[in-house]
Amino acid sequence: MPAWAGSGQIIFSASTEEIWVDGRPEKLPAPPFFHGDYIMVPLRPLAKLLGGEVHWEAGEPDTIKVILGGRHAVTHPGSRTVVLEGEETETQILPVPVQEARGILFVPAVFFHRVFEVPYARWAEGNAYLLGSSNRPPLAHFVVSQPVYAGQPVRYTVKAEDPEGDPIAEERWEGRQDIFSQPGSYTVTLQVKDARGSWSKPLSRLIHVLPDPANPQPGDLWAGGELSPTLTYEPPVRRTGPPLLFSNSPEYIKEPGILYQDEVEERARLYFWHAIEHPETFKVYVLAVNRSREEVELTVEREGYGGPSTNVFLVARQALAQYFMEAQPRTLTLKPGEAAVLNRIQPSACRHQVLHGILDVKATGKVDILFVAALASQKVLREYSRLPYLPADGVHARGTFGPADIEVELSLSGQETGELRLADGITDQFLPSLKPGASAPSLKGNYGAVYRIRVVPQQDTEAFLVPVSGLFAGTVLVDGRLVNVPREGFVRQGGQPVYLGRLKAKQAAEIVLVPPGGSYLPVKLVFDPREK
């Protein structure tokens, strides 16, 4: 009888449905598994990929017919015997029986080799198996010269290897560009084929393309070299504005309850940042309760919300962008004894998702503010008074701190590169607690504080924000323009400058910044004169 004369290579491994057919990914209906020392594979899909077909004939017993490479084989579920039909009948004994699992027929992988003479091989260090070829595939590998700048040529160096010493005959690229026109992150993938026709698995690399140093845009990671400030600014600071009611403890919500509560009069800033750690969906509410005998009007002057999401950087940016740019004041009238929900957006969040909000409010009288975690199915205005006051988690902050506005006047008169430190607790003090019951005497990081930095340079000056500890992503206002810091993704390492823009000589500029939730503090503003 003729032996299998097909071509192509199938690579598979135990416990995964993913296989590779001539270097292209495919999926099996169920993963291969071990029966003793032998790996079992789905019969029908592998036979089809090798150019064959499988037929099932019901009976006593049920019969399985496999046609592949001109050979006809017959076996039965639970049997180790395979009969080759033809002019001369031959019999093969398999090391383990044919099996049916979850409606899928499995055979030992050596079935194809012993019965149809399909090439078969295994290599231990790769924990992988080959059908259709005994030629082990090569390994793709390449490096890209660093750094990579937008608009400049990229140099790729291929360092592929073949375990059997075969020459590399062909390369297959996806996403490769000799010049990336825009900064950002790009995925580049390489596969290689050896001289005997075996394709490697693909190797992908994430290429971080930096902006052209000659033409940076606000929010770009700075690629113009290291910034080395020679002086630290310590300008006069005015601490004004409302108290900050801060709810971040317990950060992980495990049950319904009151997260934080305090009384406010006149103005206040309300801030919450919480993650759900419960199998059911939750909402976080900000409630105002009028416990006085007089009617109270409460105006929400500015507000921003983020989430639900597991991406803390996205959550912070969503809230800050709304808070900075979408001020639409609205007024609620609270009768004596009446309660109302203040946060305009109350999305449901599931486990591991974060909910965030910042609200500036003004009241004509005293009101109680409650931050409440409730099951999404609960009627919060009806049930909040019966909820327990949740204990702080001992790690994160809650309390009333302030004043929560920090105003800085900075004159850049020299030609040296200087830095202004923010939220470091040393040159810039943390907001102190204003009332008993806070989790700490001050608010580390000054999250929720609004910094307004007025800068007057005497000559054209480049402005940068530099996270000190890395893992940072926020949104700032530079002369009323919203700038994501950085423009894409997040800062991964401390000391990486993010370009904010060029400040014109003798023209006052204003930078407004709120330390973003989920990011590491402190940060520095660095001002670098262009003519030295």
Side-chain angles (χ1 to χ4, degrees):
M1 291 186 183
W4 182 77
S7 61
Q9 182 183 74
I10 302 171
I11 303 175
F12 60 93
S13 301
S15 304
T16 177
E17 298 172 356
E18 184 181 67
I19 62 174
W20 295 85
V21 181
D22 291 334
R24 299 291 188 184
E26 298 274 358
K27 286 195 99 174
L28 295 173
F33 62 89
F34 280 103
H35 182 108
D37 294 331
Y38 293 89
I39 190 167
M40 307 292 291
V41 294
L43 170 61
R44 192 181 300 273
L46 287 181
K48 183 177 179 181
L49 287 170
L50 292 168
E53 54 188 84
V54 177
H55 300 280
W56 174 282
E57 295 180 1
E60 293 293 339
D62 296 330
T63 300
I64 303 164
K65 291 187 176 182
V66 183
I67 303 171
L68 177 61
R71 291 188 174 187
H72 294 238
V74 177
T75 187
H76 308 281
S79 174
R80 294 173 54 195
T81 302
V82 181
V83 177
L84 282 166
E85 296 179 336
E87 295 179 0
E88 296 181 6
T89 300
E90 296 180 24
T91 300
Q92 289 282 346
I93 304 299
L94 301 177
V96 293
V98 177
Q99 300 178 26
E100 186 177 2
R102 302 183 299 279
I104 300 172
L105 285 171
F106 284 84
V107 295
V110 294
F111 166 85
F112 295 100
H113 176 62
R114 294 188 180 182
V115 177
F116 300 101
E117 298 185 9
V118 175
Y120 173 67
R122 173 182 183 266
W123 68 100
E125 62 270 28
N127 193 28
Y129 297 78
L130 301 178
L131 269 176
S133 170
S134 59
N135 174 31
R136 289 171 53 179
L139 300 174
H141 183 58
F142 71 98
V143 295
V144 176
S145 58
Q146 298 292 331
V148 179
Y149 295 117
Q152 297 187 14
V154 183
R155 190 178 73 183
Y156 300 86
T157 302
V158 176
K159 296 186 176 182
E161 298 177 350
D162 187 271
E164 298 167 328
D166 296 328
I168 301 301
E170 187 176 341
E171 299 174 5
R172 180 190 289 163
W173 292 88
E174 291 185 9
R176 172 172 172 162
Q177 298 183 43
D178 293 331
I179 295 177
F180 293 93
S181 61
Q182 297 295 326
S185 296
Y186 299 85
T187 299
V188 177
T189 302
L190 170 66
Q191 282 183 283
V192 294
K193 185 171 71 172
D194 67 19
R196 289 194 285 162
S198 290
W199 281 99
S200 71
K201 289 185 178 181
L203 173 74
S204 295
R205 293 196 182 281
L206 190 63
I207 310 299
H208 298 290
V209 180
L210 301 174
D212 183 348
N215 186 31
Q217 299 299 310
D220 284 343
L221 296 173
W222 179 247
E226 182 180 354
L227 298 175
S228 301
T230 56
L231 61 91
T232 298
Y233 298 112
E234 296 187 28
V237 174
R238 292 181 64 239
R239 292 178 177 262
T240 63
L244 171 65
L245 277 64
F246 191 86
S247 178
N248 181 223
S249 183
E251 180 170 80
Y252 297 95
I253 295 171
K254 299 180 180 180
E255 60 180 310
I258 308 301
L259 300 160
Y260 182 61
Q261 178 178 350
D262 196 5
E263 183 182 73
V264 302
E265 186 175 11
E266 298 182 346
R267 296 183 184 276
R269 180 167 301 135
L270 316 177
Y271 183 108
F272 65 86
W273 178 284
H274 293 281
I276 308 304
E277 190 58 46
H278 193 279
E280 297 187 61
T281 56
F282 270 70
K283 293 185 178 184
V284 173
Y285 298 91
V286 183
L287 302 187
V289 183
N290 180 9
R291 303 193 190 278
S292 72
R293 297 181 180 180
E294 304 293 333
E295 187 175 88
V296 175
E297 286 191 348
L298 189 147
T299 301
V300 179
E301 298 180 310
R302 185 178 292 274
E303 57 194 319
Y305 306 98
S309 175
T310 56
N311 183 336
V312 296
F313 303 119
L314 175 63
V315 169
R317 279 179 164 162
Q318 287 175 336
L320 289 174
Q322 290 180 20
Y323 178 80
F324 284 142
M325 303 301 290
E326 300 180 17
Q328 297 179 347
R330 52 192 177 87
T331 299
L332 297 79
T333 300
L334 298 177
K335 297 178 181 179
E338 186 177 8
V341 175
L342 296 187
N343 46 320
R344 178 172 51 84
I345 298 175
Q346 312 115 32
S348 299
C350 60
R351 175 171 280 172
H352 306 314
Q353 290 186 322
V354 174
L355 292 168
H356 178 34
I358 313 174
L359 302 85
D360 284 354
V361 300
K362 179 178 69 174
T364 59
K366 292 182 179 180
V367 293
D368 282 356
I369 299 296
L370 289 78
F371 298 88
V372 181
L375 292 168
S377 59
Q378 287 181 293
K379 304 295 184 183
V380 68
L381 291 177
R382 184 186 305 165
E383 301 179 32
Y384 77 90
S385 60
R386 296 192 290 271
L387 294 177
Y389 197 90
L390 300 177
D393 59 23
V395 177
H396 303 92
R398 74 177 179 190
T400 300
F401 306 90
D405 287 347
I406 302 172
E407 300 179 3
V408 179
E409 295 280 343
L410 185 59
S411 178
L412 308 179
S413 56
Q415 295 186 347
E416 296 180 84
T417 300
E419 66 181 25
L420 176 67
R421 298 175 181 266
L422 304 179
D424 65 351
I426 302 172
T427 58
D428 178 31
Q429 296 297 315
F430 296 142
L431 302 187
S433 172
L434 299 179
K435 294 185 179 181
S439 60
S442 61
L443 179 59
K444 186 176 180 180
N446 283 351
Y447 299 98
V450 176
Y451 287 84
R452 299 184 185 277
I453 299 120
R454 187 174 183 271
V455 183
V456 182
Q458 295 305 305
Q459 59 193 57
D460 284 2
T461 299
E462 307 285 17
F464 305 87
L465 186 145
V466 183
V468 172
S469 303
L471 295 182
F472 184 95
T475 298
V476 302
L477 283 179
V478 180
D479 277 342
R481 178 183 178 184
L482 207 64
V483 178
N484 281 338
V485 185
R487 190 142 57 112
E488 294 183 358
F490 58 94
V491 176
R492 291 173 167 80
Q493 61 184 23
Q496 170 64 63
V498 182
Y499 184 65
L500 296 182
R502 173 169 289 197
L503 310 182
K504 296 296 184 181
K506 300 182 180 180
Q507 295 183 16
E510 184 181 58
I511 299 173
V512 182
L513 179 148
V514 175
S519 290
Y520 290 177
L521 275 293
V523 298
K524 300 186 293 186
L525 292 178
V526 175
F527 301 97
D528 188 24
R530 289 295 84 193
E531 297 177 6
K532 300 181 181 180

